[in-house]
Every structure is written in C-alpha cells, then in structure tokens.
Amino acid sequence: MARPQRPQLRRTSRERPAWHLTAIGIVVVGIFLFPLYWMVSTSFKSPDQLFTRPPTLIPTEFDFSNYLRAVFENETMLRSLGNSLIISVGTSVLALLLATPAAYALGRLQLKWTGLLLLPFLVAQLLPSINVALPMFTLFSRVGLVNNYLGIILADTVAVLPFAVIVLRPFYLNIPKALEEAAAVDGATRMQAFLRIVLPLVRPGLVTVAVFTFVMTWGEFIFGLTLTTKQDMQPVTVTLNSFIGQYGTEWGPLMAASTIVALPIVIVFLVFQKQITGGLAAGAVKD
Amino acid sequence: MYLTRTHRRVVAVAAAVAMAASLAACSPGAAEPASTFDPTAPVTLTWWDYYAADSAPSNAVEALLTEYKTEYPNVTINREFIAYADLKKSLLQSAGASALPDISIVNGPDHQQFAELGIAADLTDRIAAWGQLDQYPQGLIDSASLDGKIYGLPITANCLALFYNKDLLAAAGVKPPTTWQEMSQVAAKLTSPDHYGYAFSAINNQQAVFQWLPTLWQAGGDLTKVDSPEAIKALEFTASLIKDGSVSREALNWDQAAVAAEFAQGRAAMMLNGPWQLPYLATNAPDLNYGVALLPAGQDEASVTGGENYLITDGPNADAAWNLIKWMQDPKRVQQIDDAAGSLPTRLDVKSGNTDPNLAVFAEQLKVSRPRAYGANYAEIADNVVVALQSVLSGSNTAKDALTTAATAIAPLLK
Amino acid sequence: MSASFRIRRPAVRLRATAGRRRGRSALSRYLFVAPAIIFLLVFMFYPIAYTFNLSLFDVNVGNFLKGGAAFVGFDNYVEFLSSPGFLSSLLVTLVFTLASLAFQHLIGWAFALFFNRKFPLSGFLRAIMLVVWVMPAVVSASLWRWMYSGSYGLFNSILDVFGIHTDEAWLVNPQTALIAVIITNIWLGIPFHMMLVYAGLQGVPHEVYEAASLDGASARQRLFGITVPLMRPVVAIALLLGFVHTFKVFDVIYVMTAGGPAGATNVLSIAVYNLSFEYFRLGDGAAAANILLVIPLIVSVVYLLVRRREESA
C-alpha cells in the first residue's frame, strides 16, 4: 500500500529544513518589528539627523545626549522608574498572595459555588479601569491613599487579579488528585497539603503569573494617572505621557525615554518568554 | 437578596459621602474677617505653585517667603511644587481628604471653577477693608470673581501680541500689519519656501482657544454666542490664513512653546505669543532681530489676558494666609515677582523693572485685553471651541456648521 | 517502594470518611478563595456600586464637595444617551473596535498559519513578535505619534518611497486621525490573536488532516473545511476577548490624540474621563461609565448563552 501522503500543513523534518520559509519569516517579522527599531534608532539621533527627509536608517553617529537629557540626568524620570518598580513588584506580590489560594479553590476543590465564584473574576475582566478610577479616587482621598504606593498597588491589583486567577487555575487542574489524597491520609490538613505538596508543583504557574502581573502593572496607565496627583509619586507611564507635552517636538529625548521605559519589559520578556506564551494560551483557550 | 444588600450599602455610602463632604468644606462667603486674628500667633501655611524649582519665578517667590518669615517668625510656610497638569486633580483630591493647601497659585481661567467648587475663600470684605482694589486692572480681578464676589488676587498677568522678525519683514519690504486685511497680505508676502509668514497655536487643548479669542473679540463676537455672524467671520479669517498657505498646517500640532520655537528658528516670520517668551528668546535666539507690535484690529482692538492668581482656601488659616498675600501686594514685591516671571505688572502703580521695550508693547496691549471669565464650566466650553477650531482649520468642516454645533453645546454651560 | 503502597490504599479509606471530611472542611475550602473575593468586593464591587449610585444624582462641580446633590433618577442617563456627543462617541468606539478586531484577527490567522509550518527559527520568530504585546501602551503610542508626524515622520517617508509626497500630520487631521489610530491598534493586537489562533491550531489532531489528504482534499479545502470549523471555539474566544479589551481602550488613544482632533477619536472611555476629571460633571460621568460597562457585558452574555446552547446541542 502506498504511504499516505503527509498533509501539507506540516513539513516533515526529514526533508530539507525549509530555509526559504525562515527567510520569509525573518523579513515579515522584521517589518512587523521595524517600528521598535525605529524608536531605538531615533533615540540615538541628534536633531540634525532627525529632521531630514528621507530619514537616515542607521544613525551615522550615536548621540547619547537624548538619554542624558530625558532619563539619566532627569530626576523626575529616575524617580518615576523607581516608583514603577516598587508598584510593579508590590502588585505582583499582592496578586500572588490572593490568587494562589483562590485559583486552587476554584480549580481543585469541589466548591458548590465554583461557577458563581468564578463570575466576579470574569466580570472584572470586562470592567473598564476608568469606571473604577473615580470611585477609587474619592474613596482613597478620604483615607489618605492618594499619592501613596499602597493605594496604587491596591488599584493595580484589582486590574490584574482576575487575570492572575484565570491564568493560574489550569496549572492546578493539571495536578493529579491522588497526591493530595495521599497527603490527607498521612494526616495533613488541607493547608499543609496545599503548602507542601501542591504549591511546589504549580511553581511554573506562579512564575508565569508573577511575570504577567509585573509586565501588566509596569504598563498600567489610568490608575497611575488618576490616583497620583504629585509628580514625585507618578509611575513611569504617566511621566512619559507628560513628556510628550514637554518634549512634543523633541522626538529624540522622547524616544530615549520610551526606550528606557520599554527596556525592563523586553528583558523580562526575553528571560521568561516560555512562561508568557504558555500561560496566556493555557488561560485563554482552556476557558 | 444580593441586590438588597447592595442597595442598603449604597444608601449608606451616599450618606457617608454627603456627611464627609459637608464636613470637608465650609460654604463660601461664610467667613467674615475675624476681628480676633492675631498676626503673631504661630501658624503653618501650605503653599502650592507650579513654578519649577530653580526657575526665576520660583526663586523670586522663595526670596519673598523668606523675607516674610523674618518679619513674622511665628509663621511657618511649607511650599510645594505641583505640576500644572496635576493641579486640578490635586486640589480635588486634597479637598476630599480635607487637606487643602492654604494658598495655591492657579491659572486664571480655572479660578472660577475652584470658586464654584467651594474651596476658595471669599475675600470681598477683606479686600474692601484693605482698600487697594482700585490699583488692579478690572480684567485681572474679573478672572478671580464669581457672582459679584472676589476670590483671589492676580500674581502674574500677560496678554498676547504680535512678534515679528525685523529682518524678514525688511527683506520683504513690509511693516507689521495693523488691520485684518493687512495681516492677510503681509503674512502672504512673508511666506517663502524657507519660512511661513505667521504662526499660532491651534493644538488640541485650551491653548488654541486662548490664541483664538483675540481674533473672535476683534470681530465683535464672543463665546456667549459663538455662532453669531461675527464669530463665523473670525473663524473664517483664521482659517483663511492657513488656506492661503501663510500658516503651516502643523499649527494644529503646536502649543505656544512650539510656536516660539518656530519663530526662534526663523521658520515663521511672525507669531502670536506672550511676554513669557521673551526670556526664552533671549536664551535660545539671542541674535534674532525681532520686535513686538500690537495685534491688528478687526472691528475692534482686542487681546486676551492670561496669568495666574492667588487662591486662598476657606478655612481656619484664611486670615493668616490673607495676611501673607496682602504683604506680597506691596508694589516693590509685586515688581519682583512679575519681573522674574516675565509678567506684566499686575498693579497699575507698578512699573516693570524690565527695560525691554517689547514689554512696554505688551503693557500697552493689556489695556484692550479681556479676561476669560465665562464661569465654572470654562474647561468644557473651551473644549467645544477647540473641536470647532480644529475641524475648520483642517478643512473638514465649514465655520458656520462647526460653530453652530459648538454654540448648541456651549449654551447650557454658560451661567 | 513503600510509597506506592501508600498511594493505593487511600482510595478505600477516603470513601469511608468522605462525608465527614466534606462537611468539616467546607469552611476551610472557602477560606482559600475568601481573601481574593473579599478584596474584589471591596475594591471592585464597591466602586461599581458607588458609580451606580453617583449616576443617579446630579453631582457637579458646585455640589461635589458641598453635598446636597439632587436625586435625579435616570435623568443623567437619558441626558447622556440623547446628547449628540454620545452618538458620535459610540460610533467612533464601534468603528475603532470592529475595524481593529477584524484586521487583528485576520492578520493574526495569517501569521499563525505561517508559523504552524515547521521551519528553522519559527519558534523564536513567533515568540519575539509578542514583544509588541507586552510593551506598555504609552510607549507604543508615543512611538507611533512620532511615526505619524508631519514632515519627518516615518510614515510619510515610507509613502515617499511609493511616490506619494505629503506632509500630512495624520493624527491632526480629523479625517485621517481615526484610521491612523486604528492602524496602530491593529499592530498592537496582531500578536495576541496570532498566539491564540496558533495555540488553537496545535489542538487540531493531525489524523483529521491525514484522512482528508487521503480523500484528496486540497490545501484550501483542508483550511476552510476542517481547520476553520474546528477552530470555531478559539475564534469565538479571541473575538470576544478582543472586543471587550478594545472597546474599553483608553491608554493608546489618550496618549496619541486625547480624543481629538475635533472629536474624531473620542472613544467612550475618554468621554467618561473628561466628564469626570476635567469638567467635574460627576453624575454624568458616572452614567457614561455605566453605559461603557454595559455594552461589553451584553456581548459577553450573548457569547455565553450561545456557547451554552451549542454545548448542550
């Protein structure tokens, strides 16, 4: 019998590797990512290199002054970078503390109300941040949480917590129940079983959630805009936006600032690339 | 069942908000000058302004506050910088937290909104007792007034006038325009492949309205009836300058700082701007040979006033704050601040220490300048005007249609 | 060795004590999810309730602090819904959302199909595309503002290459601003859709394709006859998530155009922001915010209902 023809959708790796596809891929992805290159290259250009037409693709000389002006000698910007770091780490920690047990409960434990309890997390994903911003503003004003790291951390956690729970839940689903039952037999309480057996097994999920929440919070804008009224408390996204007003026609410094704001995310992304792609697909598709 | 719980909670919340709100603010006009005010009693005053650290106005303010503290050692002053874009939010937030500053420097057109908000102290009686109100141009006082009561005093004042590049005008053989017709002609003559004839700001925020109001008033129109034939004529005139190519279409992207940059770099032969650009030009274009002229007249002569006011918060420290502000109104001290800020003198008995002859032109222009005093909803009114401006200047709408739409939106906002 | 014994025995033991365990530990089970739920109740549902309450009163700059706002029932809603600003804002939001979504998804499909083939570096290339998705919106928005700028922006320089010479400042012209912002948003959304579709494609069993090939189906028939129908759930969720996220977008537009010029990009979320934080018309802002929430909510409910009907069918 003749061998069934392999479906064209997958090239067998036994044939020659499809380098022509690789070439196409590089070109297409290169075009797609070109704006990012443009941002970085602009950041190194001096004004005379910027205001030319046609523009210079590769800066002829690397001018660092944009970076000095917009970032390294700019106290506001440096302070904002620090603020964003504190806020992002704080939010990740808080989100993990809340989401880890919650996803466990919703994923593993037979709760009578699982469906109903999942609902707030799903609804929260629908909620526009702007709806929450004003009430939070008035509420936080009265208790002194405006211009306060804790205030923004609480607000940002609202934004990321539902996502964290939804992404984390499938990781728990993958753990065989037998392990917990074995622990129960040994006399472990639910909490002990959770902490000593289940938790280490979902560590990849925890890393994914931590990375996700860090990235999402670093880029958060609305709560930063509405819940900080003083410049020295603002996260870096709000500062960058105010730069546009100041540096509007000075694209060099603006691109330098943008690059620095993007840099931590790119680094985190490159290091935790697998977790990000895995977590997102799992969370969204396994709905 | 869940809903009922929420409903009860909501009512409780509403009550709490109402209670907190009534505790947070006193009603305006209730404070009378306390005859028991003791200027030597210890007090701490908080002061907010948006003068960047180490800028000339900031240093002038610091120097004066230090002087005040030597005269009144019982007074502690905490001065804080709040960026202009954050000021509204900051005042709102601190009002909700009952932590308002005692004194803030606010932008003129926002003053009435803050007065309406209930956070500004009514100074009418105190000013009457002080008796120096007649030393202030009416336009400046109007921006700090609401419903016949005065809620502040000016700290800086400016207006818009016409900057022109003397070399470029001489080369084209023209003089600064004095009428609208001359403006169209001169701007056209000054346009060449290297530079535009004229530049102004039509950016997507209040600055565009600030820049357009002189034209509107020169035509005999006003924001109270922005679809009048005069207003339409004004907008069509402005649009014609762009249509003729005398003004770059990038104007819709420029704020006043960007306009100044265009003028400084010789890419525009004339520009509409204010006296705060004089220090900027001195630093960034010291060799530029330029002058300032009065704005061309339409049916009337007109310009617009800008500037900032002192706002005192209604509260227990109001008298101490008023004492400080009153002290700052000494003509010598007023001159100190105004010179540092590139401002026109806010008092009629103050002569600017700045000998720049261009400043004298602004002072002359101030005589026919009007304030933006349209009530507490000015921000929203201005946004509607910006929409009309931008749609007409970009050629996507006619002046008549755009202004009719704007007028309908603005009508309920005027009080 | 002894561990395996341990694991086999519990099945018997547990059944005997199951009933007792379940009752006793019900509380401890709920305790796990309690912190998160309480947190959301306080910081999410309370604000929603507050906003709803606020929308029923005529709260504005004159009485926000002083109190005494009049109860007006649904007047704010009626006022907002019948204002010309609402209709144009809704239209802008819908055009923005649907246009972005359509192209994001289609182009995402194209990329997903492409990466579904085996070739060297495909994993790496696919992964780096996601950088765009994780980038803070403010960064992307400022970058594209620069690219769209009039005289020296990249966009116009690229058009030069195609022989179109223009100085148009795309974000500043009311007729082009919305399209420009949509293009940016499409760029931002492609990786997300590509990733969902790609993950979904991995779930399509190869045997189905092999069987189809045996029957002589062409690549095109395989795509539309097998892949697309099997991928319907993934497409549905991608479109739903995409719709919900795009409908409430704020950052990108606020940074690029702040709703201008002349209201051309004034999406609902920006209208809400202006009403509340700029004009202090808080009752109206709250009503607008609730309307902003309701529309994606309806779409989600429709999606859930349709899915439930499909699953039971």
Side-chain angles (χ1 to χ4, degrees):
Chain A
M1 190 176 67
R3 200 117 181 249
Q5 199 185 12
R6 299 259 175 156
Q8 227 165 330
L9 228 49
R10 280 183 86 217
R11 291 259 161 169
T12 164
S13 48
R14 248 167 270 159
E15 296 175 3
R16 257 167 299 157
W19 287 106
H20 61 286
L21 288 180
T22 308
I24 297 177
I26 292 179
V27 169
V28 170
V29 174
I31 293 177
F32 183 74
L33 294 180
F34 188 73
L36 294 180
Y37 167 75
W38 193 239
M39 173 177 81
V40 179
S41 98
T42 301
S43 70
F44 286 112
K45 288 184 185 167
S46 50
D48 46 295
Q49 289 183 61
L50 270 181
F51 294 109
T52 63
R53 193 165 164 174
T56 50
L57 265 186
I58 305 174
T60 46
E61 29 172 296
F62 281 79
D63 184 3
F64 231 359
S65 67
N66 291 330
Y67 279 93
L68 292 177
R69 230 179 115 210
V71 185
F72 297 110
E73 286 169 3
N74 189 321
E75 271 185 45
T76 316
M77 188 62 168
L78 290 173
R79 170 93 202 202
S80 303
L81 284 168
N83 291 341
S84 280
L85 189 61
I86 294 174
I87 295 170
S88 300
V89 170
T91 306
S92 294
V93 167
L94 182 57
L96 270 178
L97 282 174
L98 295 172
T100 308
Y104 174 64
L106 294 170
R108 304 287 285 122
L109 308 175
Q110 275 107 337
L111 300 173
K112 256 200 303 186
W113 302 93
T114 307
L116 188 62
L117 283 174
L118 258 181
L119 207 56
F121 297 99
L122 293 174
V123 169
Q125 282 200 307
L126 291 175
L127 200 58
S129 297
I130 191 78
N131 285 43
V132 183
L134 176 67
M136 274 208 177
F137 181 72
T138 45
L139 174 67
F140 283 7
S141 293
R142 278 186 275 134
V143 297
L145 280 178
V146 178
N147 287 322
N148 190 301
Y149 287 132
L150 182 60
I152 308 186
I153 289 176
L154 289 171
D156 287 352
T157 306
V158 170
V160 303
L161 182 60
F163 198 68
V165 169
I166 291 177
V167 165
L168 199 49
R169 192 166 153 257
F171 286 89
Y172 286 105
L173 292 173
N174 282 331
I175 298 177
K177 287 211 171 123
L179 288 170
E180 285 162 277
E181 287 169 4
V185 166
D186 288 347
T189 65
R190 190 176 307 284
M191 179 60 83
Q192 285 170 324
F194 173 66
L195 287 176
R196 282 201 226 126
I197 299 184
V198 178
L199 211 50
L201 289 174
V202 289
R203 242 205 346 224
L206 299 181
V207 172
T208 304
V209 166
V211 168
F212 254 119
T213 50
F214 181 87
V215 166
M216 284 171 72
T217 312
W218 184 267
E220 203 285 322
F221 181 65
I222 298 186
F223 289 129
L225 181 69
T226 49
L227 295 179
T228 57
T229 56
K230 307 218 173 129
Q231 240 184 17
D232 56 358
M233 288 304 292
Q234 285 171 349
V236 80
T237 44
V238 180
T239 308
L240 185 60
N241 180 55
S242 66
F243 268 28
I244 294 181
Q246 285 175 45
Y247 291 118
T249 45
E250 298 183 70
W251 298 108
L254 185 62
M255 289 299 110
S258 303
T259 307
I260 293 295
V261 173
L263 202 54
I265 298 301
V266 173
I267 293 176
V268 165
F269 175 76
L270 289 175
V271 171
F272 293 101
Q273 186 203 85
K274 286 227 166 42
Q275 280 88 345
I276 294 182
T277 44
L280 182 70
V285 177
K286 274 206 177 107
D287 192 24
Chain B
M1 192 184 73
Y2 176 72
L3 274 176
T4 315
R5 239 183 287 151
T6 310
H7 187 73
R8 261 184 263 141
R9 206 140 172 243
V10 156
V11 171
V13 162
V17 169
M19 233 176 24
S22 60
L23 286 172
C26 311
S27 46
E32 284 191 30
S35 48
T36 52
F37 170 60
D38 176 14
T40 57
V43 67
T44 305
L45 296 175
T46 10
W47 167 299
W48 283 4
D49 66 48
Y50 44 87
Y51 299 131
D54 288 332
S55 65
S58 172
N59 292 336
V61 166
E62 277 298 329
L64 284 173
L65 291 179
T66 312
E67 200 188 312
Y68 185 79
K69 280 185 277 195
T70 49
E71 234 182 271
Y72 291 91
N74 50 305
V75 175
T76 317
I77 305 180
N78 293 334
R79 180 171 166 239
E80 217 179 304
F81 166 77
I82 305 279
Y84 173 68
D86 297 330
L87 184 62
K88 252 196 227 185
K89 263 186 298 167
S90 295
L91 284 175
L92 198 63
Q93 169 258 319
S94 57
S98 309
L100 283 166
D102 297 299
I103 300 168
S104 4
I105 311 292
V106 298
N107 192 22
D110 293 332
H111 203 137
Q112 291 175 318
Q113 193 178 28
F114 296 132
E116 177 101 12
L117 207 54
I119 59 181
D122 178 5
L123 302 174
T124 321
D125 294 337
R126 291 184 180 88
I127 290 178
W130 178 52
Q132 294 187 28
L133 186 59
D134 51 352
Q135 288 303 323
Y136 292 85
Q138 188 60 39
L140 299 183
I141 296 296
D142 282 346
S143 74
S145 309
L146 189 67
D147 297 333
K149 307 204 184 87
I150 306 176
Y151 291 96
L153 286 177
I155 177 176
T156 59
N158 54 57
C159 62
L160 291 179
L162 187 69
F163 286 73
Y164 64 97
N165 186 324
K166 288 187 178 162
D167 293 335
L168 291 180
L169 260 75
V174 289
K175 292 239 270 288
T178 57
T179 67
W180 277 20
Q181 199 182 20
E182 286 178 21
M183 176 55 126
S184 301
Q185 293 166 345
V186 169
K189 273 230 187 95
L190 286 168
T191 305
S192 80
D194 299 319
H195 50 78
Y196 285 93
Y198 187 44
F200 57 79
S201 161
I203 196 176
N204 181 23
N205 65 42
Q206 277 190 32
Q207 287 193 49
V209 182
F210 180 61
Q211 290 246 319
W212 185 63
L213 280 172
T215 312
L216 175 63
W217 290 327
Q218 286 161 11
D222 200 0
L223 285 188
T224 48
K225 197 167 178 351
V226 87
D227 55 349
S228 66
E230 293 84 14
I232 296 175
K233 216 165 74 141
L235 187 47
E236 283 174 349
F237 173 68
T238 311
S240 73
L241 293 172
I242 294 189
K243 230 186 295 189
D244 293 345
S246 311
V247 175
S248 165
R249 291 180 66 192
E250 292 267 358
L252 281 95
N253 236 348
W254 291 334
D255 61 2
Q256 291 174 109
V259 170
E262 295 293 307
F263 181 76
Q265 286 156 29
R267 290 200 289 264
M270 299 188 291
M271 75 161 169
L272 178 65
N273 228 313
W276 64 89
Q277 303 292 8
L278 295 174
Y280 167 79
L281 290 174
T283 327
N284 293 64
D287 302 322
L288 192 69
N289 185 13
Y290 72 93
V292 175
L294 295 176
L295 290 179
Q299 182 190 307
D300 301 328
E301 287 180 49
S303 182
V304 59
T305 57
E308 287 110 25
N309 298 337
Y310 292 103
L311 182 146
I312 297 181
T313 307
D314 211 5
N317 291 341
D319 288 318
W322 168 244
N323 210 41
L324 170 56
I325 300 304
K326 211 170 39 165
W327 181 91
M328 299 278 262
Q329 298 307 306
D330 177 282
K332 268 202 325 290
R333 301 185 185 116
V334 166
Q335 187 193 54
Q336 241 179 294
I337 294 188
D338 288 344
D339 285 349
S343 154
L344 300 170
T346 49
R347 282 176 66 114
L348 297 168
D349 56 1
V350 170
K351 204 162 160 4
S352 176
N354 190 332
T355 51
D356 188 339
N358 291 322
L359 201 62
V361 180
F362 280 105
E364 179 70 27
Q365 182 78 78
L366 192 63
K367 294 192 187 148
V368 293
S369 298
R370 309 182 206 173
R372 287 158 291 172
Y374 291 102
N377 293 322
Y378 177 71
E380 203 174 343
I381 294 173
D383 276 1
N384 281 294
V385 176
V386 172
V387 169
L389 280 177
Q390 288 209 324
S391 59
V392 174
L393 295 182
S394 64
S396 50
N397 202 352
T398 64
K400 190 162 193 305
D401 290 339
L403 288 176
T404 312
T405 315
T408 322
I410 290 175
L413 299 171
L414 298 160
K415 296 242 186 89
Chain C
M1 228 27 80
S2 50
S4 55
F5 270 107
R6 282 238 196 103
I7 291 176
R8 243 178 276 145
R9 262 193 298 161
V12 178
R13 265 240 213 143
L14 213 59
R15 244 179 271 142
T17 58
R20 206 170 8 125
R21 263 193 197 280
R22 218 179 293 146
R24 199 173 3 131
S25 61
L27 182 63
S28 72
R29 264 186 274 151
Y30 284 101
L31 231 44
F32 276 87
V33 78
I37 295 285
I38 293 175
F39 181 86
L40 284 183
L41 271 177
V42 172
F43 292 105
M44 192 178 81
F45 284 106
Y46 166 66
I48 297 179
Y50 177 94
T51 309
F52 182 70
N53 180 58
L54 189 59
S55 69
L56 301 176
F57 289 80
D58 178 26
V59 182
N60 55 45
V61 64
N63 55 41
F64 179 60
L65 293 176
K66 295 183 244 171
F71 177 82
V72 290
F74 288 104
D75 273 5
N76 288 335
Y77 289 91
V78 172
E79 203 187 301
F80 181 65
L81 286 171
S82 55
S83 68
F86 167 70
L87 274 177
S88 65
S89 185
L90 180 64
L91 192 63
V92 167
T93 315
L94 283 175
V95 168
F96 177 80
T97 306
L98 296 174
S100 303
L101 201 54
F103 285 96
Q104 285 170 349
H105 196 67
L106 286 174
I107 301 180
W109 258 96
F111 273 101
L113 286 174
F114 176 70
F115 283 117
N116 204 24
R117 298 159 161 242
K118 275 272 172 277
F119 58 88
L121 289 185
S122 68
F124 170 72
L125 290 173
R126 200 182 74 237
I128 56 171
M129 281 189 61
L130 284 181
V131 173
V132 167
W133 185 67
V134 294
M135 197 75 59
V138 190
V139 169
S140 311
S142 356
L143 164 61
W144 279 82
R145 269 186 78 141
W146 162 226
M147 283 170 49
Y148 279 129
S149 102
S151 313
Y152 305 106
L154 184 65
F155 208 71
N156 285 338
S157 305
I158 293 178
L159 288 179
D160 275 351
V161 170
F162 289 102
I164 311 172
H165 297 288
T166 169
D167 264 353
E168 184 80 57
W170 301 93
L171 290 177
V172 154
N173 184 338
Q175 289 165 327
T176 56
L178 187 57
I179 297 175
V181 170
I182 289 176
I183 293 177
T184 304
N185 200 44
I186 292 172
W187 182 78
L188 288 173
I190 289 175
F192 176 75
H193 286 260
M194 171 194 79
M195 216 178 32
L196 284 188
V197 172
Y198 179 81
L201 285 176
Q202 303 315 299
V204 177
H206 292 294
E207 297 72 47
V208 184
Y209 289 122
E210 289 179 9
S213 289
L214 277 179
D215 289 346
S218 73
R220 190 147 178 245
Q221 283 170 319
R222 275 201 302 271
L223 177 64
F224 287 103
I226 301 177
T227 316
V228 172
L230 281 178
M231 290 281 288
R232 265 199 22 209
V234 175
V235 170
I237 195 105
L239 291 179
L240 176 72
L241 288 177
F243 181 86
V244 166
H245 283 256
T246 312
F247 195 81
K248 56 181 172 127
V249 75
F250 179 84
D251 305 11
V252 172
I253 302 213
Y254 184 81
V255 174
M256 284 185 88
T257 59
T265 60
N266 194 31
V267 294
L268 278 174
S269 56
I270 299 224
V272 171
Y273 177 81
N274 281 336
L275 278 172
S276 308
F277 287 96
E278 292 288 332
Y279 311 146
F280 298 155
R281 279 173 39 190
L282 297 147
D284 292 322
N290 288 329
I291 293 171
L292 175 64
L293 172 60
V294 153
I295 297 177
L297 192 61
I298 293 179
V299 170
S300 304
V301 167
V302 166
Y303 164 82
L304 286 173
L305 288 177
V306 168
R307 236 188 76 171
R308 191 165 299 179
R309 189 178 310 162
E310 278 183 358
E311 278 176 1
S312 58

